[in-house]
Amino acid sequence: MNSSPNKMFVAVDFDGTCVTHCYPNVGVDIGAQDVLRLLVASGFDLILYTMRSGKELKDAVSWFESNDIPLFGINHNSTQSSWTSSPKVYAHMYIDDAAIGTPLIRPEDGGRAYVDWMEVLSNLMSMYSVIASTLTDFPELYDKWRMHAINEDL
């Protein structure tokens, strides 16, 4: 278990990950905000890693700003330029609805699946003790996570 992230980078997709799929518009919130703020409070740096560009990218960045979620980078990690010229964003974790193993919620109406942030939180807490200890500073998120965990055990 990693107890101190020491500049851990998390690359986060936007559509289907932070909000429902609604491109080119910004989709409906799906519970990402509190978990992303928890990651930042736990010492992680967030990098928006999306295919959006132009106005649509600005809309995604505005979503982060309006939710008080600071971004370390946008489709770029400035720390990697000293050791690689690769265009792929360097991160320790990638949270993306299209990634294998990412927990998803599949809407009953047949719409596109999106990230299950309570399951992501459970996975993160099992990997990084700093997240579990920081969670006490987020009582509403803690309560949501506990209810989710209780319902999963039923």
Side-chain angles (χ1 to χ4, degrees):
M1 185 179 272
N2 211 350
S3 62
S4 175
N6 293 331
K7 275 297 181 204
M8 295 281 286
F9 299 105
V10 180
V12 182
D13 181 35
F14 188 68
D15 298 288
T17 301
C18 295
V19 296
T20 58
H21 288 277
C22 198
Y23 182 86
N25 300 313
V26 172
V28 176
D29 292 330
I30 56 175
Q33 304 96 310
D34 289 337
V35 178
L36 293 173
R37 282 192 289 266
L38 173 65
L39 283 169
V40 171
S42 299
F44 292 80
D45 285 326
L46 302 181
I47 300 169
L48 176 59
Y49 192 38
T50 179
M51 290 190 63
R52 284 179 173 245
S53 62
K55 179 196 176 306
E56 290 79 17
L57 178 58
K58 288 178 185 173
D59 291 344
V61 172
S62 292
W63 180 90
F64 280 87
E65 291 170 350
S66 67
N67 283 289
D68 296 316
I69 303 167
L71 290 170
F72 177 80
I74 300 165
N75 287 331
H76 178 73
N77 181 336
S78 60
T79 68
Q80 74 188 60
S81 61
S82 65
W83 54 271
T84 184
S85 60
S86 173
K88 181 179 179 182
V89 170
Y90 170 73
H92 298 91
M93 273 185 274
Y94 299 83
I95 303 174
D96 190 326
D97 63 298
I100 293 174
T102 299
L104 300 175
I105 294 173
R106 299 185 189 286
E108 290 181 16
D109 67 3
R112 287 184 67 181
Y114 53 86
V115 170
D116 181 340
W117 281 96
M118 289 299 101
E119 282 298 310
V120 168
L121 177 56
S122 293
N123 292 343
L124 290 168
M125 288 195 328
S126 70
M127 295 167 53
Y128 301 99
S129 61
V130 67
I131 292 173
S133 63
T134 307
L135 184 58
T136 59
D137 297 335
F138 293 78
E140 289 180 23
L141 179 58
Y142 177 74
D143 290 344
K144 278 191 232 175
W145 173 77
R146 279 190 40 130
M147 289 306 298
H148 176 80
I150 289 168
N151 289 332
E152 288 293 308
D153 287 341
L154 296 179

